[in-house]
Amino acid sequence: MASEDITKLAESLAKTQVGGGQLSFKGQSLKLNTAEDAEEVIKQIEEFDGLEALRLEGNTVGVEAAKVIAKALEKKSELKRCHWSDMFTGRLRSEIPPALISLGDALITAGAQLVELDLSDNAFGPDGVRGFEALLKSPVCYTLQELKLNNCGMGIGGGKILAAALKECHRKSSAQGKPLALKVFVAGRNRLENDGATALAEAFGIIGTLEEVHMPQNGINHPGITALAQAFAINPLLKVINLNDNTFTEKGAMAMAETLKALRQIEVINFGDCLVRSKGAVAIADAIKEGLHKLKELNLSFCEIKRDAALTVAEVIEDKAELEKLDLNGNCLGEEGCEQLQEILEGFNMAAVLGSLSDDEGEEEEEDEEEEEEEEEEEEEQEQLKEIGQGEQESLTPKKIIDSQDSTPVPSPPVDIATFLAFPSPEKLLRLGPKCSVMIAQQTDTADVEKVVSTLLRISSVFKDEAPVRTAVHETTDALMRKAFTSATFNSDAFITSLLIHMGLLKSEEKIKAVPSLYGILMTLNHMVQQDYFPKSLAPVLSAFVTKPNRALDSCSFARHMLLQTLHQL
C-alpha cells in the first residue's frame, strides 16, 4: 500500500466511533481490497472487547479484505447487530457473494446470536442472496428481530431464495423450542414482483410475529398484494405496513382492507402511489372506521381517488385521536373537493393532520372514468393470459384449459405484432417467436421518431431479469434501434428528447403521460448504450438527465445505478 494511502486510511480510522458496544467505520469511504488494506480495521475489531455492533456502511470491501475481517470476527460471539449496508460500492456483482459467505461463516464459527442484519443498498442481485443464505438458516439468526434488505436488486429469484431461507430458519429454531420471532422486515426497491412477494408472504404467514413490513417499489400487482394481505392477517402485532408505489387496483385494495379489519395495533399505513382508486379507498375507509384506534399515519396519495371517496376517508378519522398525518395529495378531488376535505377536518379540529394538496390532479372527466375501467379490464386480460400461459390458477380462467374427456391441452391463443404492442407482456413477446425482432423492426416507420420511442417503450416495459425474456427484449430492441440509428432520415437528437419526455425526465409543453415504471427502459438502455449502433454523442445527455434528482428514478435506483455505471465506463 502506498504511503499516501496509509495516511488517508489512518485519518479515516481516527474518525472511528466507539461506544456502547459499537464499533463504527460508517461513511469513511475506506477502500479495502487486500488483506493489507484491512489491517487497521482488523486491529480495531480484535482489540474491541464486548463487540455487540459493527458498522461498515459507506465503505467498499473486496473479497480478500472480507476474508481477513471475517477471521477477526470468528472470536466475537457477543456480536448482535451487523450494519453492513452500502459496503460494496464499485464492486462487481460476482465479488459480493464470496465476501458475504466469508463474513457469514465467521459469525457461525463465533456462535453469535444476531438481533439485526442490515445489508441494504448493496446491489448484489439474486446471486447475492445465496451469499447469506447459509447464515440465515444457521443458529446465528434464530434470534433475528430485524432484517433489512432495501435496494438490493434481489428480483423474483432472490425473493424466493430469501423466503425459503426464512422458512428453514423458523423450522429449525422452532425445533429447538425458540422459534424465529422476526419483528422488522425491509425489502423495498427489489423488483420482487408477484412471485417474489407471494413466496415471502408464505414465510410471513409461518413466522407470525412481524411488527413492521416495508416493501415499497417492488412491482407487485394485486395477486402479490392479496397474498401479502392474507399473511399480514396472521401477524396480529403489525404496526407499520409500507407498500408504497406498488399496484393494488381494486382487487388488492379490497383484500388489504379485509386484513386491516383483523389488525388492532396498526399505526402507519403507507399505500401511497398504489393505485387503490376510489372503490379501494372506500373499502380501506370502512376498515379504518371499524377499528385502528392507534392509527398515526395514513398515506393514500397519488392513488387516483376521486372526490367522494376521499371525503369518505376523511369522515372516518374523526375518532382517531392519535392520528398525526393524513396524505391525500395527488388524487382527483378538484378545487371544490379540496375545500370540502379541509372543511370536514376543521369540523373535527383535525385540520393540522392534513398534508399538502398541491399536486391534486383535479376532478376527472367521464372519459377518464371510462379509461380507468378499460385499464382495469386490460389488467384482467393480461392476468388471465399469464395464468393460461403458465397453466396455473385454473379457477381464475374463464374456462378450463383441459377438457375432462381429453388430456390434450388447448393451445395458447395466437399473438401478432399489433396485439403485443397494444397490450405488451413478457408471455406475448416470447410467443411471437424468434423472428419477432425482425418483424417489429420491419413494421415500425423509423422516420417517425414518436413511433420509434413508443415501440421501444412498449418492448422495454416487459423486461424481466430472466434469461428468455431479457434476451427477447434485447434482440428486439437491437433490431429496432439499429434500423433507426443507421437510417439517414432518423433524427437522433429528437429521439433522445422525446424519450426523456416520455420517461418523465424532461418537461414538455404538451401534456404527455410518463411511463408508469422506468425499470424496464433503464435496463434496456443499459444494454442499448453498449451497442455499436448507439451514438456515443447521446451518452452525456442521457447521463445528465438520469443523474438529476427524480422521484421516478429513485424508485428504480438499482437500474439507474447500473445505467450510470455503464455510461461512466463508455
Side-chain angles (χ1 to χ4, degrees):
M1 186 186 289
S3 60
E4 59 268 23
D5 292 334
I6 295 173
T7 303
K8 185 177 179 182
L9 179 60
E11 289 173 354
S12 295
L13 290 170
K15 301 174 186 175
T16 300
Q17 297 175 9
V18 178
Q22 174 176 283
L23 177 60
S24 176
F25 299 96
K26 183 178 179 180
Q28 294 182 19
S29 301
L30 302 175
K31 294 180 180 179
L32 308 178
N33 299 314
T34 66
E36 186 183 3
D37 294 340
E39 280 180 357
E40 288 297 325
V41 173
I42 295 164
K43 182 181 177 184
Q44 297 252 11
I45 292 172
E46 289 177 339
E47 293 178 353
F48 197 110
D49 293 329
L51 180 64
E52 295 184 6
L54 178 61
R55 307 196 77 105
L56 292 172
E57 312 104 304
N59 299 291
T60 178
V61 182
V63 176
E64 292 306 313
K67 286 180 180 178
V68 291
I69 291 172
K71 195 69 179 174
L73 291 175
E74 288 181 356
K75 297 178 181 178
K76 301 299 175 181
S77 61
E78 296 177 26
L79 190 62
K80 292 181 174 62
R81 299 183 183 274
C82 296
H83 303 278
W84 294 349
S85 63
D86 188 23
M87 59 179 261
F88 297 110
T89 304
R91 299 289 169 188
L92 297 173
R93 276 174 62 171
S94 59
E95 292 182 84
I96 302 175
L100 288 173
I101 290 170
S102 295
L103 294 167
D105 287 349
L107 299 182
I108 295 171
T109 300
Q113 293 187 312
L114 291 186
V115 172
E116 179 179 359
L117 176 61
D118 186 356
L119 292 170
S120 299
D121 300 315
N122 291 310
F124 46 59
D127 293 339
V129 186
R130 294 286 188 199
F132 59 94
E133 181 184 15
L135 176 65
L136 280 180
K137 293 178 179 179
S138 76
V140 174
C141 288
Y142 291 178
T143 51
L144 196 64
Q145 295 180 13
E146 299 181 31
L147 179 58
K148 300 174 182 178
L149 299 166
N150 202 55
N151 190 30
C152 292
M154 289 190 290
I156 295 171
K160 289 181 176 180
I161 296 167
L162 175 61
L166 288 172
K167 288 191 289 184
E168 182 71 0
C169 180
H170 187 272
R171 186 187 67 79
K172 288 182 175 179
S173 57
S174 297
Q176 292 195 3
K178 294 183 179 180
L180 171 67
L182 192 66
K183 294 181 179 179
V184 178
F185 180 83
V186 182
R189 301 180 182 178
N190 272 293
R191 297 302 303 177
L192 294 168
E193 301 184 20
N194 289 334
D195 290 348
T198 300
L200 285 166
E202 187 178 337
F204 296 162
I206 292 170
I207 294 168
T209 56
L210 288 166
E211 296 180 11
E212 295 185 24
V213 175
H214 302 263
M215 295 174 67
Q217 301 167 358
N218 269 298
I220 308 170
N221 299 325
H222 74 78
I225 296 297
T226 300
L228 288 171
Q230 292 168 348
F232 292 165
I234 43 182
N235 280 266
L237 302 178
L238 265 176
K239 297 178 181 178
V240 179
I241 302 177
N242 176 7
L243 293 174
N244 189 286
D245 200 7
N246 289 291
T247 308
F248 283 40
T249 63
E250 184 183 331
K251 280 189 175 182
M254 292 292 190
M256 197 59 71
E258 282 302 308
T259 285
L260 290 175
K261 292 177 183 178
L263 299 175
R264 291 289 175 265
Q265 305 301 320
I266 290 291
E267 296 178 3
V268 177
I269 298 172
N270 186 344
F271 297 159
D273 216 357
C274 282
L275 206 66
V276 304
R277 295 187 173 137
S278 296
K279 289 181 181 178
V282 170
I284 291 169
D286 288 343
I288 293 171
K289 186 177 182 180
E290 290 186 19
L292 305 190
H293 295 293
K294 296 182 179 182
L295 188 64
K296 294 180 179 179
E297 181 177 335
L298 174 62
N299 184 347
L300 293 175
S301 60
F302 299 93
C303 280
E304 293 190 7
I305 300 170
K306 300 189 184 77
R307 178 179 61 179
D308 291 347
L311 298 181
T312 300
V313 171
E315 287 166 355
V316 302
I317 67 167
E318 180 178 6
D319 62 343
K320 310 306 172 193
E322 295 188 31
L323 192 71
E324 299 170 359
K325 183 179 180 182
L326 172 64
D327 193 346
L328 288 168
N329 198 18
N331 286 301
C332 311
L333 281 67
E335 187 176 344
E336 185 179 342
C338 290
E339 290 175 0
Q340 289 177 318
L341 180 64
Q342 290 166 333
E343 286 172 6
I344 289 172
L345 293 173
E346 285 171 2
F348 302 155
N349 291 320
M350 297 177 73
V353 306
L354 183 63
S356 169
L357 297 172
S358 61
D359 293 318
D360 186 73
E361 295 286 341
E363 287 195 83
E364 287 190 348
E365 306 273 337
E366 286 185 14
E367 288 180 10
D368 293 324
E369 293 179 17
E370 290 173 9
E371 282 180 14
E372 182 179 302
E373 290 174 5
E374 286 173 7
E375 286 175 13
E376 290 273 13
E377 289 172 7
E378 181 184 321
E379 287 159 9
E380 290 287 337
E381 179 194 346
Q382 290 192 19
E383 284 299 325
Q384 287 180 358
L385 283 172
K386 184 176 181 181
E387 287 156 8
I388 291 170
Q390 294 176 339
E392 295 176 347
Q393 298 182 359
E394 185 179 280
S395 61
L396 296 181
T397 57
K399 60 182 179 179
K400 294 200 174 193
I401 307 303
I402 300 175
D403 191 280
S404 59
Q405 303 301 317
D406 184 2
S407 61
T408 305
V410 176
S412 298
V415 176
D416 56 21
I417 300 297
T419 303
F420 166 72
L421 292 176
F423 305 107
S425 72
E427 293 76 19
K428 288 177 188 170
L429 181 61
L430 294 176
R431 292 216 308 271
L432 283 171
K435 294 183 179 179
C436 71
S437 57
V438 176
M439 292 190 294
I440 289 177
Q442 287 176 343
Q443 294 186 27
T444 304
D445 180 8
T446 52
D448 186 342
V449 166
E450 288 299 320
K451 187 71 174 176
V452 173
V453 169
S454 174
T455 304
L456 174 63
L457 289 171
R458 288 176 181 275
I459 295 167
S460 65
S461 70
V462 307
F463 180 90
K464 279 189 174 184
D465 198 16
E466 298 171 5
V469 178
R470 182 175 63 244
T471 300
V473 169
H474 286 173
E475 289 178 351
T476 310
T477 298
D478 288 342
L480 172 68
M481 298 314 302
R482 188 180 299 279
K483 178 186 174 185
F485 284 125
T486 55
S487 170
T489 58
F490 188 68
N491 189 328
S492 299
D493 292 335
F495 164 78
I496 200 70
T497 300
S498 176
L499 181 61
L500 291 169
I501 289 171
H502 283 276
M503 290 172 69
L505 306 183
L506 182 63
K507 290 184 179 180
S508 170
E509 292 180 3
E510 299 176 19
K511 189 174 182 181
I512 294 176
K513 190 174 182 180
V515 293
S517 171
L518 294 181
Y519 178 77
I521 185 61
L522 289 172
M523 294 300 284
T524 303
L525 282 169
N526 184 53
H527 168 79
M528 266 178 60
V529 299
Q530 299 177 64
Q531 308 312 307
D532 56 5
Y533 60 73
F534 186 81
K536 296 299 182 275
S537 60
L538 298 183
V541 179
L542 191 56
S543 180
F545 280 92
V546 176
T547 304
K548 287 183 177 180
N550 183 283
R551 184 180 172 205
L553 286 171
D554 289 343
S555 68
C556 303
S557 55
F558 172 71
R560 179 192 206 177
H561 171 75
M562 293 284 287
L563 175 57
L564 287 174
Q565 194 171 44
T566 301
L567 288 168
H568 181 69
Q569 293 170 355
L570 291 178

